[in-house]
Amino acid sequence: MILRTHYTGDVTPEIDGTEVTLAGFAHEIRNLGGIAFLVLRDRKGFAQITLVKKLVDKATFKKVAGISRESVVQVRGMVKAEAKAPGGFEILPTEVQVLNAAEVPLPMDPTEKVECELDTRLDSRFMDIRRPCVLAAFEIESAVLRVLRDYFYRQGITEVFTPKIVAAATEGGTDLFPISYFEREAFLNQSPQLYKQMLMGAGMDRVFEIGPIFRAEEHDTRRHLNEAISIDIEVSFADDKDVMDILEGAVVSAYQYVAENCSRQLAALNLDFQVPKAPFKRITYTEALELAKEGRNVPMQWGDDLDTETERFLGETIGEHYFLTDWPSSIKPYYTLPYEDRPEICRGFDLMHPRMELASGAQRVHDHAMLVERIRGKGLDPSGFEFYLKAFRYGMPPHAGWGLGLSRLIMTMLKLENIRDAVIFPRDRRRLVP
Ligand code: AMO
């Protein structure tokens, strides 16, 4: 049983005279006495249903005039070209059915006329997503996932899934959500890092994973969530430069695909959309620090992590996507490979959007003894990493990889103010429902 023959967006004035069946939400109902209009909205647009009192039966006119906003309706009728109506057509109905009536009042106004607080919108997210400008972001996200998967497949990268319930920390022992796992304590994984590296030891050579990461951080910012989707890759027989090239290609492909295939969604977002130009600038941590010191009076020392203010300053100065490379070994995780001749610097990198960090990655330590030493050097106990370290004892190819935050990619691509706007049901410090 298909309840519609067309989406509103597929009806054009050229099919004047065709009978169609549309289904969607009652966006607006206007009864002007002798004539009534029902604006039907579906995910592809709007259609004006015009009822002339003299031409339709009384009962239908009365029913339409009494429909509550946002009720689910189905309309069968004839397409008529009408320059003044949205999309250049109207529907002269032969049958209008209310499939499900909406209660009054609505929990929020789903039209775009009224500005609404983010919290109110998130409390009634199902209704918020009915707004074309909100829906557009999630349709674009789906398009981005599709093109990224294609991009990875074309590079011979295999899609994998790794566990989200784990026994131990991946990235240093902090910021994990504990859960009860039968008689033991377990944790929600904060990154597929250790597993994707182990798969290099498994000879899988090139893997990618798109899945949730969990961070029990207390952050309450516009760019942090406690559950996020991360796009991770790991590649054997490759170094940091090789995977930076893959990352740059992934980001540019995503933008390009959206520019070419998502014009309806971009129009709903009212965006001036620019595809970033490759190659992205690559500057070292030390160069970035010099730039920041020149431009602003900051007491930052070599070895400090870049604070938000410095990141903002660099973003404004550089003005486009850029890579920050060659970080101090002391502030990158234990799995990041130090340069042989300058062990205080490592082959870790971040991909930056002028507004924030989008991804981080590195060439990894693949030597067992060095990895044990690096784990110890970070004040961690190697015995907790035995399942991981084991994969480094029987032949581990050199490898590199990265993790890219999907919501941050979408947020920056679509110039959204808050990362929560790039997640259907966000999880943050205060929000566990819906
Ligand atoms: P990192 O911790 O930098 O690196 O995470 C990678 C990317 O994931 C996104 N991200 C987040 N997005 C929203 N809210 C959060 N709380 C959050 N935390 C991370 C960011 C970030 O750049 N194992 C490494 C990756 C690697 O080296 O392969 C890692 O997890 O966009």
Side-chain angles (χ1 to χ4, degrees), residues 171 191 193 196 213 215 217 223-225 228 232 335 357-361 364 401-405 408 419:
E171 316 246 340
S191 159
Q193 183 64 37
K196 60 180 184 167
I213 56 170
R215 309 263 166 132
E217 293 152 354
R223 59 201 164 94
H224 286 96
L225 292 166
D232 272 86
Y335 49 74
E357 176 198 311
L358 293 184
S360 52
R364 320 297 190 185
W402 44 256
L404 164 68
R408 288 199 186 171
I419 195 164

PDB file of all heavy atoms in Angstrom, residues 171 191 193 196 213 215 217 223-225 228 232 335 357-361 364 401-405 408 419, ligand 1:
ATOM      1  N   GLU A 171      42.472   5.636  25.299  1.00  0.00           N
ATOM      2  CA  GLU A 171      43.303   6.814  25.097  1.00  0.00           C
ATOM      3  C   GLU A 171      43.844   7.393  26.400  1.00  0.00           C
ATOM      4  O   GLU A 171      43.970   8.583  26.540  1.00  0.00           O
ATOM      5  CB  GLU A 171      42.515   7.889  24.332  1.00  0.00           C
ATOM      6  CG  GLU A 171      41.746   7.346  23.170  1.00  0.00           C
ATOM      7  CD  GLU A 171      42.260   7.843  21.832  1.00  0.00           C
ATOM      8  OE1 GLU A 171      42.950   8.859  21.811  1.00  0.00           O
ATOM      9  OE2 GLU A 171      41.967   7.190  20.828  1.00  0.00           O
ATOM     10  N   SER A 191      37.090   5.425  21.453  1.00  0.00           N
ATOM     11  CA  SER A 191      37.662   5.484  20.095  1.00  0.00           C
ATOM     12  C   SER A 191      37.961   4.059  19.636  1.00  0.00           C
ATOM     13  O   SER A 191      38.341   3.216  20.456  1.00  0.00           O
ATOM     14  CB  SER A 191      38.964   6.288  20.128  1.00  0.00           C
ATOM     15  OG  SER A 191      39.767   5.983  19.010  1.00  0.00           O
ATOM     16  N   GLN A 193      40.436   3.257  18.178  1.00  0.00           N
ATOM     17  CA  GLN A 193      41.889   3.321  17.974  1.00  0.00           C
ATOM     18  C   GLN A 193      42.616   1.972  18.097  1.00  0.00           C
ATOM     19  O   GLN A 193      43.281   1.516  17.185  1.00  0.00           O
ATOM     20  CB  GLN A 193      42.478   4.301  18.993  1.00  0.00           C
ATOM     21  CG  GLN A 193      43.961   4.521  18.860  1.00  0.00           C
ATOM     22  CD  GLN A 193      44.305   5.161  17.531  1.00  0.00           C
ATOM     23  OE1 GLN A 193      43.570   6.010  17.036  1.00  0.00           O
ATOM     24  NE2 GLN A 193      45.390   4.746  16.931  1.00  0.00           N
ATOM     25  N   LYS A 196      41.411  -0.734  15.509  1.00  0.00           N
ATOM     26  CA  LYS A 196      41.794  -0.539  14.099  1.00  0.00           C
ATOM     27  C   LYS A 196      43.283  -0.811  13.910  1.00  0.00           C
ATOM     28  O   LYS A 196      43.698  -1.360  12.895  1.00  0.00           O
ATOM     29  CB  LYS A 196      41.333   0.818  13.550  1.00  0.00           C
ATOM     30  CG  LYS A 196      41.852   2.052  14.241  1.00  0.00           C
ATOM     31  CD  LYS A 196      41.301   3.330  13.588  1.00  0.00           C
ATOM     32  CE  LYS A 196      41.905   4.562  14.224  1.00  0.00           C
ATOM     33  NZ  LYS A 196      41.676   5.774  13.484  1.00  0.00           N
ATOM     34  N   ILE A 213      31.438   7.102  19.241  1.00  0.00           N
ATOM     35  CA  ILE A 213      32.479   7.160  20.277  1.00  0.00           C
ATOM     36  C   ILE A 213      31.828   7.821  21.492  1.00  0.00           C
ATOM     37  O   ILE A 213      30.912   8.630  21.338  1.00  0.00           O
ATOM     38  CB  ILE A 213      33.735   7.948  19.826  1.00  0.00           C
ATOM     39  CG1 ILE A 213      33.369   9.375  19.364  1.00  0.00           C
ATOM     40  CG2 ILE A 213      34.470   7.204  18.723  1.00  0.00           C
ATOM     41  CD1 ILE A 213      34.581  10.278  19.132  1.00  0.00           C
ATOM     42  N   ARG A 215      32.459   9.861  25.116  1.00  0.00           N
ATOM     43  CA  ARG A 215      33.424  10.638  25.896  1.00  0.00           C
ATOM     44  C   ARG A 215      32.718  11.186  27.135  1.00  0.00           C
ATOM     45  O   ARG A 215      31.795  12.004  26.998  1.00  0.00           O
ATOM     46  CB  ARG A 215      33.966  11.796  25.069  1.00  0.00           C
ATOM     47  CG  ARG A 215      34.481  11.371  23.686  1.00  0.00           C
ATOM     48  CD  ARG A 215      35.972  11.188  23.711  1.00  0.00           C
ATOM     49  NE  ARG A 215      36.447  10.478  22.544  1.00  0.00           N
ATOM     50  CZ  ARG A 215      37.475  10.863  21.783  1.00  0.00           C
ATOM     51  NH1 ARG A 215      38.106  11.973  22.063  1.00  0.00           N
ATOM     52  NH2 ARG A 215      37.877  10.120  20.776  1.00  0.00           N
ATOM     53  N   GLU A 217      33.231  13.457  29.087  1.00  0.00           N
ATOM     54  CA  GLU A 217      33.802  14.748  29.462  1.00  0.00           C
ATOM     55  C   GLU A 217      32.696  15.661  29.955  1.00  0.00           C
ATOM     56  O   GLU A 217      31.576  15.578  29.488  1.00  0.00           O
ATOM     57  CB  GLU A 217      34.500  15.374  28.243  1.00  0.00           C
ATOM     58  CG  GLU A 217      35.723  14.581  27.809  1.00  0.00           C
ATOM     59  CD  GLU A 217      36.024  14.712  26.325  1.00  0.00           C
ATOM     60  OE1 GLU A 217      35.224  15.329  25.600  1.00  0.00           O
ATOM     61  OE2 GLU A 217      37.057  14.175  25.901  1.00  0.00           O
ATOM     62  N   ARG A 223      30.767  22.586  20.632  1.00  0.00           N
ATOM     63  CA  ARG A 223      31.380  21.615  19.720  1.00  0.00           C
ATOM     64  C   ARG A 223      31.725  20.281  20.367  1.00  0.00           C
ATOM     65  O   ARG A 223      32.410  19.457  19.786  1.00  0.00           O
ATOM     66  CB  ARG A 223      32.617  22.227  19.050  1.00  0.00           C
ATOM     67  CG  ARG A 223      33.653  22.659  20.026  1.00  0.00           C
ATOM     68  CD  ARG A 223      34.574  23.697  19.394  1.00  0.00           C
ATOM     69  NE  ARG A 223      35.301  24.367  20.444  1.00  0.00           N
ATOM     70  CZ  ARG A 223      36.504  24.011  20.860  1.00  0.00           C
ATOM     71  NH1 ARG A 223      37.132  23.029  20.299  1.00  0.00           N
ATOM     72  NH2 ARG A 223      37.083  24.651  21.839  1.00  0.00           N
ATOM     73  N   HIS A 224      31.273  20.084  21.602  1.00  0.00           N
ATOM     74  CA  HIS A 224      31.513  18.803  22.272  1.00  0.00           C
ATOM     75  C   HIS A 224      30.210  18.082  22.573  1.00  0.00           C
ATOM     76  O   HIS A 224      29.240  18.699  23.022  1.00  0.00           O
ATOM     77  CB  HIS A 224      32.245  19.005  23.603  1.00  0.00           C
ATOM     78  CG  HIS A 224      33.684  19.357  23.421  1.00  0.00           C
ATOM     79  ND1 HIS A 224      34.123  20.658  23.442  1.00  0.00           N
ATOM     80  CD2 HIS A 224      34.765  18.583  23.208  1.00  0.00           C
ATOM     81  CE1 HIS A 224      35.433  20.673  23.247  1.00  0.00           C
ATOM     82  NE2 HIS A 224      35.846  19.426  23.100  1.00  0.00           N
ATOM     83  N   LEU A 225      30.236  16.776  22.388  1.00  0.00           N
ATOM     84  CA  LEU A 225      29.107  15.925  22.753  1.00  0.00           C
ATOM     85  C   LEU A 225      29.657  14.772  23.584  1.00  0.00           C
ATOM     86  O   LEU A 225      30.861  14.513  23.567  1.00  0.00           O
ATOM     87  CB  LEU A 225      28.466  15.346  21.490  1.00  0.00           C
ATOM     88  CG  LEU A 225      27.748  16.347  20.581  1.00  0.00           C
ATOM     89  CD1 LEU A 225      27.482  15.715  19.235  1.00  0.00           C
ATOM     90  CD2 LEU A 225      26.432  16.788  21.236  1.00  0.00           C
ATOM     91  N   ALA A 228      29.347  10.792  20.027  1.00  0.00           N
ATOM     92  CA  ALA A 228      29.546  11.393  18.703  1.00  0.00           C
ATOM     93  C   ALA A 228      29.818  10.278  17.707  1.00  0.00           C
ATOM     94  O   ALA A 228      30.130   9.152  18.097  1.00  0.00           O
ATOM     95  CB  ALA A 228      30.724  12.369  18.745  1.00  0.00           C
ATOM     96  N   ASP A 232      36.711   6.715  11.144  1.00  0.00           N
ATOM     97  CA  ASP A 232      38.095   6.334  11.438  1.00  0.00           C
ATOM     98  C   ASP A 232      38.684   5.532  10.293  1.00  0.00           C
ATOM     99  O   ASP A 232      37.991   4.689   9.720  1.00  0.00           O
ATOM    100  CB  ASP A 232      38.127   5.453  12.696  1.00  0.00           C
ATOM    101  CG  ASP A 232      38.231   6.282  13.956  1.00  0.00           C
ATOM    102  OD1 ASP A 232      37.176   6.713  14.455  1.00  0.00           O
ATOM    103  OD2 ASP A 232      39.370   6.503  14.422  1.00  0.00           O
ATOM    104  N   TYR A 335      50.451   6.216  21.172  1.00  0.00           N
ATOM    105  CA  TYR A 335      50.562   5.457  19.909  1.00  0.00           C
ATOM    106  C   TYR A 335      51.108   6.302  18.754  1.00  0.00           C
ATOM    107  O   TYR A 335      51.224   5.838  17.635  1.00  0.00           O
ATOM    108  CB  TYR A 335      49.202   4.846  19.534  1.00  0.00           C
ATOM    109  CG  TYR A 335      48.023   5.809  19.591  1.00  0.00           C
ATOM    110  CD1 TYR A 335      47.844   6.787  18.611  1.00  0.00           C
ATOM    111  CD2 TYR A 335      47.094   5.753  20.630  1.00  0.00           C
ATOM    112  CE1 TYR A 335      46.786   7.674  18.663  1.00  0.00           C
ATOM    113  CE2 TYR A 335      46.024   6.643  20.697  1.00  0.00           C
ATOM    114  CZ  TYR A 335      45.882   7.592  19.706  1.00  0.00           C
ATOM    115  OH  TYR A 335      44.827   8.472  19.760  1.00  0.00           O
ATOM    116  N   GLU A 357      38.841  22.015  15.482  1.00  0.00           N
ATOM    117  CA  GLU A 357      39.501  20.782  15.028  1.00  0.00           C
ATOM    118  C   GLU A 357      38.460  19.828  14.449  1.00  0.00           C
ATOM    119  O   GLU A 357      37.400  19.633  15.043  1.00  0.00           O
ATOM    120  CB  GLU A 357      40.181  20.130  16.237  1.00  0.00           C
ATOM    121  CG  GLU A 357      40.827  18.804  15.924  1.00  0.00           C
ATOM    122  CD  GLU A 357      41.103  17.988  17.195  1.00  0.00           C
ATOM    123  OE1 GLU A 357      41.667  18.525  18.162  1.00  0.00           O
ATOM    124  OE2 GLU A 357      40.718  16.800  17.204  1.00  0.00           O
ATOM    125  N   LEU A 358      38.783  19.254  13.286  1.00  0.00           N
ATOM    126  CA  LEU A 358      37.862  18.293  12.668  1.00  0.00           C
ATOM    127  C   LEU A 358      38.327  16.858  12.842  1.00  0.00           C
ATOM    128  O   LEU A 358      37.517  15.935  12.932  1.00  0.00           O
ATOM    129  CB  LEU A 358      37.749  18.551  11.158  1.00  0.00           C
ATOM    130  CG  LEU A 358      37.094  19.831  10.679  1.00  0.00           C
ATOM    131  CD1 LEU A 358      36.998  19.819   9.167  1.00  0.00           C
ATOM    132  CD2 LEU A 358      35.715  19.987  11.290  1.00  0.00           C
ATOM    133  N   ALA A 359      39.648  16.676  12.820  1.00  0.00           N
ATOM    134  CA  ALA A 359      40.174  15.308  12.842  1.00  0.00           C
ATOM    135  C   ALA A 359      41.543  15.319  13.476  1.00  0.00           C
ATOM    136  O   ALA A 359      42.234  16.337  13.476  1.00  0.00           O
ATOM    137  CB  ALA A 359      40.291  14.786  11.418  1.00  0.00           C
ATOM    138  N   SER A 360      41.931  14.172  14.042  1.00  0.00           N
ATOM    139  CA  SER A 360      43.340  14.023  14.379  1.00  0.00           C
ATOM    140  C   SER A 360      43.804  12.649  13.961  1.00  0.00           C
ATOM    141  O   SER A 360      43.005  11.718  13.816  1.00  0.00           O
ATOM    142  CB  SER A 360      43.624  14.311  15.847  1.00  0.00           C
ATOM    143  OG  SER A 360      42.793  13.587  16.655  1.00  0.00           O
ATOM    144  N   GLY A 361      45.101  12.552  13.735  1.00  0.00           N
ATOM    145  CA  GLY A 361      45.647  11.293  13.257  1.00  0.00           C
ATOM    146  C   GLY A 361      47.140  11.282  13.419  1.00  0.00           C
ATOM    147  O   GLY A 361      47.729  12.219  13.971  1.00  0.00           O
ATOM    148  N   ARG A 364      51.736   5.741  13.405  1.00  0.00           N
ATOM    149  CA  ARG A 364      51.714   5.070  14.708  1.00  0.00           C
ATOM    150  C   ARG A 364      53.057   4.432  15.027  1.00  0.00           C
ATOM    151  O   ARG A 364      53.818   4.073  14.129  1.00  0.00           O
ATOM    152  CB  ARG A 364      50.654   3.970  14.713  1.00  0.00           C
ATOM    153  CG  ARG A 364      49.358   4.293  14.007  1.00  0.00           C
ATOM    154  CD  ARG A 364      48.602   5.441  14.631  1.00  0.00           C
ATOM    155  NE  ARG A 364      47.257   5.539  14.052  1.00  0.00           N
ATOM    156  CZ  ARG A 364      46.389   6.484  14.324  1.00  0.00           C
ATOM    157  NH1 ARG A 364      46.709   7.480  15.140  1.00  0.00           N
ATOM    158  NH2 ARG A 364      45.195   6.480  13.781  1.00  0.00           N
ATOM    159  N   GLY A 401      46.860   6.474  10.517  1.00  0.00           N
ATOM    160  CA  GLY A 401      45.399   6.592  10.393  1.00  0.00           C
ATOM    161  C   GLY A 401      44.904   7.878  11.011  1.00  0.00           C
ATOM    162  O   GLY A 401      45.691   8.710  11.478  1.00  0.00           O
ATOM    163  N   TRP A 402      43.592   8.039  11.005  1.00  0.00           N
ATOM    164  CA  TRP A 402      42.981   9.230  11.599  1.00  0.00           C
ATOM    165  C   TRP A 402      41.538   8.967  12.007  1.00  0.00           C
ATOM    166  O   TRP A 402      40.927   7.982  11.577  1.00  0.00           O
ATOM    167  CB  TRP A 402      43.057  10.441  10.673  1.00  0.00           C
ATOM    168  CG  TRP A 402      42.730  10.243   9.221  1.00  0.00           C
ATOM    169  CD1 TRP A 402      43.625  10.176   8.193  1.00  0.00           C
ATOM    170  CD2 TRP A 402      41.421  10.121   8.598  1.00  0.00           C
ATOM    171  NE1 TRP A 402      42.966  10.022   6.996  1.00  0.00           N
ATOM    172  CE2 TRP A 402      41.618   9.990   7.221  1.00  0.00           C
ATOM    173  CE3 TRP A 402      40.111  10.114   9.087  1.00  0.00           C
ATOM    174  CZ2 TRP A 402      40.567   9.844   6.305  1.00  0.00           C
ATOM    175  CZ3 TRP A 402      39.056   9.970   8.184  1.00  0.00           C
ATOM    176  CH2 TRP A 402      39.293   9.840   6.808  1.00  0.00           C
ATOM    177  N   GLY A 403      41.029   9.894  12.811  1.00  0.00           N
ATOM    178  CA  GLY A 403      39.618   9.891  13.199  1.00  0.00           C
ATOM    179  C   GLY A 403      39.047  11.269  12.921  1.00  0.00           C
ATOM    180  O   GLY A 403      39.624  12.288  13.307  1.00  0.00           O
ATOM    181  N   LEU A 404      37.916  11.290  12.212  1.00  0.00           N
ATOM    182  CA  LEU A 404      37.275  12.552  11.797  1.00  0.00           C
ATOM    183  C   LEU A 404      35.891  12.597  12.436  1.00  0.00           C
ATOM    184  O   LEU A 404      35.112  11.646  12.294  1.00  0.00           O
ATOM    185  CB  LEU A 404      37.176  12.554  10.261  1.00  0.00           C
ATOM    186  CG  LEU A 404      36.250  13.539   9.556  1.00  0.00           C
ATOM    187  CD1 LEU A 404      36.754  14.966   9.713  1.00  0.00           C
ATOM    188  CD2 LEU A 404      36.163  13.197   8.051  1.00  0.00           C
ATOM    189  N   GLY A 405      35.576  13.682  13.129  1.00  0.00           N
ATOM    190  CA  GLY A 405      34.256  13.797  13.774  1.00  0.00           C
ATOM    191  C   GLY A 405      33.190  14.157  12.743  1.00  0.00           C
ATOM    192  O   GLY A 405      33.245  15.229  12.148  1.00  0.00           O
ATOM    193  N   ARG A 408      31.154  17.343  13.576  1.00  0.00           N
ATOM    194  CA  ARG A 408      31.931  18.580  13.368  1.00  0.00           C
ATOM    195  C   ARG A 408      32.098  18.880  11.885  1.00  0.00           C
ATOM    196  O   ARG A 408      32.108  20.041  11.477  1.00  0.00           O
ATOM    197  CB  ARG A 408      33.296  18.461  14.038  1.00  0.00           C
ATOM    198  CG  ARG A 408      33.177  18.531  15.542  1.00  0.00           C
ATOM    199  CD  ARG A 408      34.493  18.877  16.157  1.00  0.00           C
ATOM    200  NE  ARG A 408      34.406  18.812  17.609  1.00  0.00           N
ATOM    201  CZ  ARG A 408      35.449  18.900  18.400  1.00  0.00           C
ATOM    202  NH1 ARG A 408      36.654  19.051  17.894  1.00  0.00           N
ATOM    203  NH2 ARG A 408      35.301  18.852  19.705  1.00  0.00           N
ATOM    204  N   ILE A 419      26.917  22.164  17.579  1.00  0.00           N
ATOM    205  CA  ILE A 419      27.075  20.777  17.116  1.00  0.00           C
ATOM    206  C   ILE A 419      25.776  19.982  17.298  1.00  0.00           C
ATOM    207  O   ILE A 419      25.498  19.049  16.545  1.00  0.00           O
ATOM    208  CB  ILE A 419      28.270  20.091  17.835  1.00  0.00           C
ATOM    209  CG1 ILE A 419      28.665  18.802  17.105  1.00  0.00           C
ATOM    210  CG2 ILE A 419      27.978  19.837  19.310  1.00  0.00           C
ATOM    211  CD1 ILE A 419      30.020  18.262  17.484  1.00  0.00           C
TER     212      ILE A 419
HETATM  213  P1  AMO B   1      40.370  12.582  18.870  1.00  0.00           P
HETATM  214  O1  AMO B   1      40.154  12.333  20.322  1.00  0.00           O
HETATM  215  O2  AMO B   1      41.036  13.857  18.468  1.00  0.00           O
HETATM  216  O3  AMO B   1      41.281  11.428  18.237  1.00  0.00           O
HETATM  217  O4  AMO B   1      38.985  12.461  18.121  1.00  0.00           O
HETATM  218  C1  AMO B   1      38.910  12.508  16.704  1.00  0.00           C
HETATM  219  C2  AMO B   1      37.831  13.489  16.265  1.00  0.00           C
HETATM  220  O5  AMO B   1      36.568  13.094  16.803  1.00  0.00           O
HETATM  221  C3  AMO B   1      35.792  14.246  17.093  1.00  0.00           C
HETATM  222  N1  AMO B   1      35.492  14.291  18.528  1.00  0.00           N
HETATM  223  C4  AMO B   1      34.377  14.821  19.056  1.00  0.00           C
HETATM  224  N2  AMO B   1      33.297  15.379  18.493  1.00  0.00           N
HETATM  225  C5  AMO B   1      32.333  15.846  19.301  1.00  0.00           C
HETATM  226  N3  AMO B   1      32.359  15.756  20.646  1.00  0.00           N
HETATM  227  C6  AMO B   1      33.423  15.199  21.272  1.00  0.00           C
HETATM  228  N4  AMO B   1      33.438  15.111  22.612  1.00  0.00           N
HETATM  229  C7  AMO B   1      34.494  14.692  20.472  1.00  0.00           C
HETATM  230  N5  AMO B   1      35.666  14.095  20.726  1.00  0.00           N
HETATM  231  C8  AMO B   1      36.260  13.852  19.549  1.00  0.00           C
HETATM  232  C9  AMO B   1      36.639  15.458  16.716  1.00  0.00           C
HETATM  233  C10 AMO B   1      38.038  14.902  16.767  1.00  0.00           C
HETATM  234  O6  AMO B   1      38.916  15.629  15.929  1.00  0.00           O
HETATM  235  N6  AMO B   1      42.121   7.912  18.208  1.00  0.00           N
HETATM  236  C11 AMO B   1      42.199   9.277  17.720  1.00  0.00           C
HETATM  237  C12 AMO B   1      42.073   9.375  16.219  1.00  0.00           C
HETATM  238  C13 AMO B   1      43.246   8.772  15.471  1.00  0.00           C
HETATM  239  O7  AMO B   1      44.399   9.120  15.800  1.00  0.00           O
HETATM  240  O8  AMO B   1      43.016   7.979  14.550  1.00  0.00           O
HETATM  241  C14 AMO B   1      41.089  10.106  18.397  1.00  0.00           C
HETATM  242  O9  AMO B   1      40.128   9.594  18.912  1.00  0.00           O
HETATM  243  O10 AMO B   1      36.267  15.867  15.407  1.00  0.00           O
END
